[in-house]
Amino acid sequence: MRCNARPLGVLAAVAEGLLLLCAVPANASRSAQPSYLQQTHSLVRHMAEDAQELFVFYETNQRLNVNKICRSSKWLEGLPRGDVADPLAPGALQDLYGAMEHVERALQTILQHQRELNAPGAELLRRLTATHLKVRGLLNNLEGLLRAWGIAPLRVALPQKPAVTKVFQQKLEGCKVLWSYSRFMSKLSTALDAKGLRERQEKRRQRRGSRRGPRGDKRARRS
């Protein structure tokens, strides 16, 4: 029996969202940017929830949920620590793309270690694989957005690290990576929510201004 299984409706929505991400063409036009940005926002929000659930499941599954040893101040290399006012602005997209490349490689390493420790079809492997696919999908979408701005994605030269061979250290390193990834996605989702709120407020102000305009002209003519 699967633990914390998602309802079928949620799984279907996730699958649809992933298809939207992966379907973004490399030559996306600027006129298509609003819909791509909206898709990215929706999926980042879901990925933030998913990242938190994956971390909690991994922490418990690996028996590391003692003394909060995974929840350290150590941060996955390549992930920005500070808040970003507009993470999908052209200048910030490159940094976000590079950050997600670091995440994608770190997830590959965790999957490699866990495949050696789990039977095929294990729930942990399923969850890790699903998260890895979502990160790859987000990378595809960010690349489409960058190309729509006329910016070539900057490939990050990821440094080679010494291989971790001790099983406990592999588990602990994976847990810390998932902790920082979940924190990062939470920050990213919060930033995009704030961006969406600002845009909606600005649209409301513009609509109010356009409604007041004609009345103001009539008053001016009567005087």
Side-chain angles (χ1 to χ4, degrees):
M1 182 176 177
R2 233 173 31 186
C3 299
N4 299 324
R6 288 178 179 275
L8 290 177
V10 175
L11 290 173
V14 173
E16 182 182 357
L18 258 175
L19 289 174
L20 287 171
L21 281 180
C22 297
V24 176
N27 60 347
S29 65
R30 293 199 176 202
S31 62
Q33 284 175 14
S35 62
Y36 294 147
L37 290 169
Q38 186 176 10
Q39 291 168 14
T40 302
H41 187 179
S42 297
L43 276 156
V44 165
R45 184 184 296 115
H46 167 74
M47 288 172 71
E49 297 172 358
D50 182 70
Q52 176 61 24
E53 290 179 9
L54 174 61
F55 167 73
V56 172
F57 183 85
Y58 184 102
E59 185 184 41
T60 304
N61 180 272
Q62 301 296 291
R63 296 181 174 85
L64 295 170
N65 51 341
V66 291
N67 300 324
K68 299 184 177 180
I69 58 174
C70 296
R71 308 179 187 213
S72 68
S73 58
K74 182 180 178 181
W75 202 252
L76 176 62
E77 183 180 359
L79 291 186
R81 285 179 173 272
D83 296 330
V84 181
D86 186 355
L88 297 185
L93 274 176
Q94 284 276 32
D95 292 337
L96 179 55
Y97 186 89
M100 298 313 297
E101 280 200 319
H102 281 276
V103 171
E104 197 266 342
R105 191 181 77 163
L107 286 170
Q108 278 185 335
T109 301
I110 298 171
L111 266 168
Q112 178 185 341
H113 292 159
Q114 289 300 326
R115 285 191 184 112
E116 296 171 357
L117 301 172
N118 289 271
E123 176 69 6
L124 179 58
L125 293 180
R126 187 194 68 79
R127 290 182 180 231
L128 285 168
T129 300
T131 296
H132 185 227
L133 287 173
K134 289 166 194 167
V135 170
R136 290 179 62 183
L138 183 55
L139 277 168
N140 288 342
N141 201 43
L142 294 175
E143 182 173 351
L145 288 170
L146 282 166
R147 293 190 184 281
W149 284 108
I151 304 172
L154 181 63
R155 302 296 176 183
V156 177
L158 299 174
Q160 294 296 323
K161 293 183 176 181
V164 179
T165 56
K166 294 183 179 179
V167 171
F168 177 77
Q169 289 301 322
Q170 288 176 348
K171 292 181 177 183
L172 184 59
E173 185 68 19
C175 200
K176 289 180 177 179
V177 165
L178 294 178
W179 167 249
S180 57
Y181 167 61
S182 69
R183 298 301 90 203
F184 173 72
M185 292 306 294
S186 177
K187 284 175 177 284
L188 182 59
S189 180
T190 299
L192 289 175
D193 285 343
K195 170 183 167 65
L197 177 61
R198 289 194 300 270
E199 289 175 348
R200 290 192 296 274
Q201 290 173 337
E202 180 60 28
K203 286 179 181 178
R204 284 197 292 268
R205 282 194 293 269
Q206 290 175 355
R207 285 197 295 268
R208 286 197 296 267
S210 64
R211 287 197 295 267
R212 285 196 297 267
R215 290 197 293 271
D217 292 343
K218 290 178 182 178
R219 286 196 295 271
R221 284 196 295 270
R222 283 198 296 270
S223 62

